[in-house]
Amino acid sequence: MKSQNDLLSATGTTIFTVMSALAVEHGAINLGQGFPDYDGPSDVIHAAAAALLDGRNQYPPMTGLPELREAVAAANRRFYGLEVDPKAEVVVTSGATEAITACLMAVLNPGDECVLIEPLYDTYLPVVRLLGAVPKLVRLSPPKWELPRAELAAAFGPKTKAILLNTPMNPAGKVFTAAELAFVADLLQRHDCYAICDEVYEHLTFDGWKHIPLMTLPGMRERCMRIGSAGKTFSLTGWKVGYVTCDRSLAPNVAKAHQNLTFTTPPNLQRGVAVGLMKDDRYFAELSATLQAKRDLLAAGLARLGFGVLETQGSYFVTTDVRPLGWTGDDVAFCRTLTQEAKVTAIPVTAFYAQPDAPNHYVRFAFCKGDAVLTEALRRIEAWLAARRGTAAAVA
Ligand code: PMP
Ligand code: GLN
């Protein structure tokens, strides 16, 4: 048989699927894949359910229900002061995952260079490569995840077409500062480049950290494609409704990519998301406050058990250093052992790096879970650590 697509054949199953399957196999609490174990707001769900029953089940308009595009434009104005034409500058997609691919397709030609920042979300690299573009990787390192400005500047050159920027960042929990974004914006202007802005965790920031869309910086309105996700904003990750906000000069190509990927996104779910985006400010404030409390519960608990806990400014995730526990193996071995023995699942952070020389003693835990689940996970890890120490003492 002739070989199939080489790039896909060489791409492994995503770490999220691998670890979720391992969690099921071992009856473990799954703090790996980032999905809430509670439902989203009931008015949003009821609006979608009603839209299933009142005949809204055929193809909606290709770029999204007018009602949802208007809600996306209104949210841009309310949260960021961005004025957006809902008819010409919003494209609704089947999740942020599709939006990322559609935006990359919209601007990249084979041979173009695209700057990616490690640690990176798992779809970025394969999609850039499938498009025949050349990834230029710039690495952020724990524990501070500071932007290495000289290296970032060096990654830009005459062939650079775009950067893919994720803030708040998965798995680092980093929120890019205004100064960092200004540095990126300057590079984009100097090299005449676009930015694909993965902002799915835009409403999940903590401790007073505020999400700043790169698109709001001077000169960035025409260069940025800003991506949101209903999955994250309404705790409904299975819905897969995403939305791209971009200038009218970019939207037609994003729409044409969407036309060729999925064409449309379920109209009933779009109706629910439109209701969600029109919710009052209190909903959005409570969402981040609730998640901040969960972060605190898990981060403080893990610190008490001896993990090195890194700061989480935003997202669903807390990253921990497992060396202070006395663990001498790598992060993958830690996550497997934790699943098998402690019955708690986490994600090895090396999965977010393209090169094998990545730091290999960091482990990501998702805290978008019920408080009782987080508490039970901590109890299990504590018991496992105590048993390990007991065994080590007995051997010695
Ligand atoms: N980007 C990042 C950084 C994410 O963490 C996720 C969520 N898994 C996505 C994109 C995908 O979002 P969606 O589920 O809307 O496709
Ligand atoms: N974004 C989620 C995470 O990082 C997972 C999404 C997925 O499984 N593709 O855990």
Side-chain angles (χ1 to χ4, degrees):
M1 298 281 255
K2 286 182 177 160
S3 66
Q4 300 175 30
N5 178 276
D6 295 331
L7 283 161
L8 290 179
S9 298
T11 305
T13 303
T14 165
I15 188 72
F16 307 117
T17 301
V18 170
M19 293 312 294
S20 286
L22 201 66
V24 170
E25 185 188 330
H26 292 279
I29 294 177
N30 191 353
L31 304 187
Q33 195 176 23
F35 61 90
D37 64 357
Y38 43 87
D39 233 344
S42 67
D43 54 346
V44 172
I45 295 171
H46 277 105
L52 271 172
L53 297 171
D54 70 7
R56 277 180 269 186
N57 294 304
Q58 308 306 330
Y59 295 132
M62 202 250 284
T63 57
L65 286 189
E67 170 183 29
L68 176 53
R69 280 184 275 134
E70 276 156 27
V72 171
N76 273 299
R77 186 180 314 115
R78 168 161 52 143
F79 295 112
Y80 312 115
L82 269 173
E83 290 301 329
V84 170
D85 179 352
K87 291 196 181 66
E89 300 188 309
V90 176
V91 180
V92 176
T93 57
S94 295
T97 307
E98 190 208 337
I100 292 161
T101 298
C103 292
L104 290 167
M105 287 173 83
V107 294
L108 293 179
N109 284 315
D112 284 345
E113 292 178 359
C114 181
V115 178
L116 301 175
I117 300 181
E118 289 183 301
L120 38 69
Y121 188 58
D122 67 338
T123 68
Y124 300 171
L125 201 55
V127 173
V128 167
R129 289 195 173 128
L130 281 166
L131 294 173
V134 181
K136 288 278 161 185
L137 293 165
V138 176
R139 181 173 288 189
L140 303 191
S141 297
K144 294 258 177 246
W145 309 110
E146 278 154 349
L147 187 68
R149 295 185 186 207
E151 284 160 40
L152 185 66
F156 280 76
K159 290 191 180 162
T160 312
K161 178 67 73 67
I163 185 171
L164 204 173
L165 189 77
N166 173 215
T167 181
M169 195 177 184
N170 174 10
K174 172 188 174 72
V175 175
F176 279 70
T177 64
E180 288 172 327
L181 294 172
F183 187 82
V184 174
D186 179 56
L187 286 172
L188 294 182
Q189 280 191 306
R190 280 200 281 128
H191 295 274
D192 185 19
C193 294
Y194 298 103
I196 295 98
C197 304
D198 180 345
E199 303 181 2
V200 300
Y201 298 106
E202 60 186 318
H203 293 295
L204 305 181
T205 60
F206 314 126
D207 306 326
W209 279 92
K210 282 268 168 276
H211 169 64
I212 307 172
L214 183 64
M215 195 173 175
T216 58
L217 271 68
M220 290 297 103
R221 177 77 172 65
E222 291 76 24
R223 295 189 181 278
C224 292
M225 288 155 273
R226 192 179 101 67
I227 298 168
S229 166
K232 307 292 148 74
T233 298
F234 302 107
S235 312
L236 295 163
T237 59
W239 279 26
K240 300 299 283 188
V241 178
Y243 21 93
V244 181
T245 302
C246 61
D247 190 71
R248 66 187 66 243
S249 57
L250 283 162
N253 261 16
V254 176
K256 278 180 259 178
H258 171 61
Q259 167 183 311
N260 288 299
L261 286 166
T262 57
F263 179 47
T264 60
T265 296
N268 18 65
L269 299 181
Q270 289 194 50
R271 158 79 186 142
V273 176
V275 167
L277 283 174
M278 298 307 284
K279 285 173 84 68
D280 59 15
D281 290 350
R282 205 180 42 181
Y283 167 77
F284 295 89
E286 277 173 10
L287 177 73
S288 62
T290 303
L291 275 151
Q292 179 171 321
K294 292 184 182 304
R295 177 207 60 176
D296 290 345
L297 197 172
L298 187 64
L302 292 171
R304 184 174 53 80
L305 299 185
F307 287 78
V309 177
L310 277 53
E311 182 188 358
T312 293
Q313 299 163 348
S315 82
Y316 276 160
F317 310 110
V318 59
T319 295
T320 59
D321 184 346
V322 294
R323 283 173 307 184
L325 298 172
W327 184 263
T328 49
D330 67 13
D331 57 344
V332 174
F334 183 88
C335 290
R336 287 198 167 270
T337 309
L338 194 73
T339 302
Q340 287 159 353
E341 296 182 2
K343 313 285 181 212
V344 176
T345 295
I347 301 281
V349 170
T350 47
F352 299 87
Y353 286 86
Q355 307 298 333
D357 62 336
N360 67 354
H361 41 265
Y362 290 94
V363 166
R364 188 196 84 173
F365 290 87
F367 50 77
C368 45
K369 307 289 172 183
D371 291 356
V373 171
L374 295 173
T375 304
E376 170 61 12
L378 288 166
R379 193 199 60 76
R380 290 185 186 188
I381 297 171
E382 183 167 21
W384 174 68
L385 286 171
R388 280 178 63 85
R389 287 196 194 102
T391 313
V395 170

